[in-house]
Amino acid sequence: MLTYTNIKPEHAPALAQLQRIAFPETDLNLLFSEADLRKHVEIFPEGTFVALDGDRAVGMGAGIFVDFDFDDYQHTLYGIAGESGIANHKPQGAYYYGTDISVNPDYRRQGIGQKLYDLRKSVTQQYNKKGIVAGGVLPGFKAHKAHMSVEEYVEKVVVGELYDSTLSFQLRNGFVVRGILRDYFHDERSGSVAALIFWKNPEYKS
């Protein structure tokens, strides 16, 4: 049976390995290491969730609290998250920023991603943050980038003319696209771009 918990020190080795299993084509330098994940435990364990099958870590959703300016939104993943993906965590920040979702390929389509997003929404509401911000990677764009701009691609995904395994899922979860992020992270396959996505906390109290 799948269970969910906040990250603990003993999860770090398995989650570092999960990163490599979930993203086999990604530069290892861009993935969380065991040392990075131990920093998550030290700084903000409430923001990182782990899916377990028994004692086996099969999914992770990570994030930090930040302030964010939608009028000046260009940023990189490393730039906003900081060292180890956690150094720029700001407890009083107005938003939860999602830095990672990883699911073991053998466990996909079992609702893990959905549950991790639900947990992110819960912590956003628990701490009365304005919402969730993230850079939504666009795995489907590489098949279209030769004949379509990223703006065109995202618009077609938004209106349902194209399907993107990540962005379409995020849209179904109540996120909206607020822009396009340039050079968000190094990914030659998709052109290093991402969609700036936002989920508004309906329970936020100013």
Side-chain angles (χ1 to χ4, degrees):
M1 182 179 73
L2 295 172
T3 59
Y4 297 83
T5 186
N6 290 113
I7 190 170
K8 298 178 176 63
E10 58 266 28
H11 297 144
L15 291 176
Q17 181 62 24
L18 172 66
Q19 287 263 287
R20 286 145 183 77
I21 295 171
F23 306 113
E25 298 179 350
T26 300
D27 184 341
L28 293 179
N29 292 322
L30 300 177
L31 301 178
F32 290 144
S33 67
E34 183 176 337
D36 292 335
L37 292 158
R38 291 189 185 281
K39 286 291 186 182
H40 285 64
V41 178
E42 294 173 16
I43 296 173
F44 183 44
E46 299 90 345
T48 296
F49 304 96
V50 182
L52 299 168
D53 182 4
D55 294 329
R56 183 186 184 193
V58 297
M60 174 177 66
I64 59 176
F65 290 156
V66 299
D67 285 320
F68 194 82
D69 182 359
F70 282 99
D71 293 325
D72 184 20
Y73 61 77
Q74 288 296 331
H75 66 276
T76 65
L77 177 57
Y78 182 83
I80 198 165
E83 187 175 354
S84 297
I86 193 80
N88 290 346
H89 169 64
K90 184 178 180 181
Q92 302 307 315
Y95 299 91
Y96 176 98
Y97 190 94
T99 57
D100 179 83
I101 288 279
S102 309
V103 178
N104 186 307
D106 294 339
Y107 285 81
R108 288 174 183 164
R109 302 186 185 280
Q110 296 187 34
I112 293 175
Q114 180 67 61
K115 180 63 175 178
L116 292 171
Y117 270 86
D118 290 345
L119 290 167
R120 283 174 157 182
K121 290 177 180 178
S122 292
V123 77
T124 300
Q125 293 174 330
Q126 177 186 345
Y127 285 88
N128 192 39
K129 302 304 181 182
K130 293 182 179 180
I132 301 173
V133 181
V137 298
L138 303 167
F141 179 53
K142 61 182 178 291
H144 298 274
K145 68 176 183 175
H147 59 273
M148 186 182 299
S149 70
V150 64
E151 288 84 358
E152 291 175 299
Y153 176 78
V154 168
E155 178 58 29
K156 287 182 180 294
V157 174
V158 168
V159 300
E161 292 181 17
L162 289 175
Y163 172 80
D164 185 274
S165 58
T166 298
L167 183 56
S168 296
F169 172 78
Q170 292 162 334
L171 295 170
R172 290 197 305 272
N173 270 275
F175 284 81
V176 296
V177 175
R178 295 289 297 270
I180 301 296
L181 299 171
R182 309 286 179 182
D183 299 316
Y184 181 65
F185 64 107
H186 182 66
D187 180 10
E188 294 179 356
R189 292 165 297 154
S190 64
S192 302
V193 294
L196 173 64
I197 60 170
F198 174 60
W199 174 80
K200 184 178 181 179
N201 175 11
E203 298 181 6
Y204 173 71
K205 296 179 178 60
S206 58

